[in-house]
Amino acid sequence: MKTMMKTLGVAALGLWAGMAQAADDVTLQLKWVTQAQFAGYYVALDKGFYKDEDLNVTIKPGGPDIAPAQVIAGGGADVVLDWMPSALASREKGLPLVNIAQPFKSSGMMLTCRKDAGVETPEDFKGKTLGVWFFGNEYPFLSWMNKLGYSTAGGPDGVTVLKQGFNVDPILQGQAACVSTMTYNEYWQIIDAGLKPEELTVFKYEDQGVATLEDGMYVLEDNLSDPAFVDKMARFVRASMKGWKWAEENPEDAAMIVLDNDASGAQTEEHQIRMMREVAKLTAGSNGALDVADYERTVQSLLSGGSDPVISKKPEGAWTHAITDKALN
């Protein structure tokens, strides 16, 4: 009897030790501040999807002076979210970032213009001032202007580029005919400021054939040679995509989860619900695996930036399906 009790005790101890085994830590660096653009990750955290995969995930918000590439280079994150133009530019400069998953299928980038500034078609850009985000976000715009054959140095047959801050003031204050906006964010700031949709002309980069991939997951190439890291990332991607699909189907609840995680208190319920509904249109159709045709289109766009292309040659090894194959099968 004593031996049996001892055996049961050892078995129980072993079971307890297995249960108490620490979950794997993962640190995710966002591209921007806490908002519905990143809802899938907050949902996966809130709903226990990461916990179900034996992961302890820390989500670090970004901001205007936080560059995801610098964070991962300095060891501050295991995985970062970045736009592909920025990631490929970083790779060419020597930081070996690799895309392991692509939750965003479509681009949310737009140029939003005032009709009373005389802009109805791309031909009307000539001689106008256009607001453009820089810090890596200007690349699709420069490719588009090159495709149209417009100089970005001003003049009657070119366009004048205004370095736009992360707001829409130039279009409201008459400093620019058009400004850069995202479908899920700044466009609505213009509407909230009093302009009506019928007073605006919107050019989606997706429709103009110059869209580049946004909000992909990137890791450092060296880490992919570690089977334990690959396994951890596969679990992370699987749980994250579960979070994204839940967010797509439950936009209002997902927005509330985002608000619960917004330590700044800067976000509003109405804006986040609206943002989540728009973001859901961009993640729709993605299971997380990078579409190679979308990648090739992005590379072509970046190589055709006129006299100042984003990248000078086609990248090698800039993406892998190894993680999503493991995560999805």
Side-chain angles (χ1 to χ4, degrees):
M1 184 71 175
K2 193 182 278 186
T3 308
M4 187 179 167
M5 288 298 285
K6 192 175 175 184
T7 306
L8 284 170
V10 169
L13 197 67
L15 184 67
W16 181 84
M19 286 168 66
Q21 193 174 5
D24 290 320
D25 291 328
V26 175
T27 300
L28 168 69
Q29 174 65 59
L30 304 183
K31 183 171 168 60
W32 194 241
V33 297
T34 301
Q35 58 182 18
Q37 177 183 357
F38 311 111
Y41 309 102
Y42 287 114
V43 166
L45 192 63
D46 182 84
K47 293 287 170 191
F49 300 156
Y50 290 135
K51 194 178 176 186
D52 292 346
E53 293 285 357
D54 204 25
L55 296 173
N56 175 39
V57 175
T58 301
I59 301 175
K60 294 166 77 168
D65 45 12
I66 296 172
Q70 287 176 5
V71 173
I72 199 168
D78 300 291
V79 56
V80 298
L81 302 181
D82 209 348
W83 286 9
M84 188 167 277
S86 169
L88 293 182
S90 294
R91 186 176 177 86
E92 189 163 289
K93 287 172 193 154
L95 183 68
L97 292 177
V98 178
N99 179 301
I100 59 163
Q102 187 60 47
F104 276 52
K105 171 73 177 163
S106 309
S107 164
M109 190 98 156
M110 307 193 295
L111 204 60
T112 298
C113 310
R114 292 181 75 128
K115 285 183 179 171
D116 62 11
V119 182
E120 300 260 358
T121 71
E123 285 70 44
D124 300 325
F125 293 156
K126 287 182 187 175
K128 301 291 195 300
T129 297
L130 312 179
V132 180
W133 291 318
F134 277 71
F135 305 106
N137 302 327
E138 73 272 27
Y139 302 134
F141 171 83
L142 295 174
S143 297
W144 183 17
M145 293 304 110
N146 184 59
K147 186 179 173 184
L148 292 170
Y150 298 162
S151 161
T152 51
D157 291 323
V159 300
T160 298
V161 174
L162 172 73
K163 281 195 178 183
Q164 182 185 334
F166 291 99
N167 59 53
V168 292
D169 293 350
I171 198 171
L172 303 176
Q173 296 164 3
Q175 298 162 320
C178 311
V179 290
S180 297
T181 59
M182 300 303 289
T183 55
Y184 51 81
N185 198 357
E186 292 78 11
Y187 171 80
W188 298 101
Q189 290 173 18
I190 295 173
I191 300 300
D192 289 344
L195 284 169
K196 296 181 176 65
E198 55 270 23
E199 296 175 301
L200 302 168
T201 306
V202 169
F203 300 93
K204 291 185 177 181
Y205 281 60
E206 198 77 44
D207 297 340
Q208 302 300 319
V210 290
T212 53
L213 287 167
E214 298 160 4
D215 288 60
M217 297 186 212
Y218 293 85
V219 301
L220 292 176
E221 190 168 345
D222 288 355
N223 289 332
L224 292 170
S225 59
D226 176 5
F229 181 83
V230 168
D231 177 66
K232 184 167 76 170
M233 283 299 108
R235 286 180 282 138
F236 175 75
V237 168
R238 184 160 54 229
S240 298
M241 289 313 299
K242 197 171 172 185
W244 271 119
K245 295 308 150 186
W246 192 95
E248 282 176 26
E249 291 165 14
N250 305 276
E252 290 190 17
D253 290 339
M256 293 302 115
I257 289 170
V258 170
L259 286 168
D260 288 344
N261 284 278
D262 174 31
S264 72
Q267 308 294 0
T268 66
E269 187 175 318
E270 182 191 14
H271 187 53
Q272 290 308 302
I273 290 174
R274 199 161 55 182
M275 187 184 289
M276 184 60 238
R277 289 198 173 117
E278 291 298 327
V279 165
K281 296 174 188 174
L282 306 181
T283 56
S286 172
N287 63 0
L290 173 71
D291 184 316
V292 180
D294 293 343
Y295 166 80
E296 294 289 353
R297 184 192 64 196
T298 295
V299 168
Q300 275 311 116
S301 179
L302 300 181
L303 284 168
S304 64
S307 60
D308 188 22
V310 183
I311 49 176
S312 62
K313 57 184 185 294
K314 277 194 171 187
E316 294 289 332
W319 61 272
T320 179
H321 279 157
I323 305 294
T324 45
D325 284 351
K326 195 173 169 70
L328 301 169
N329 297 329

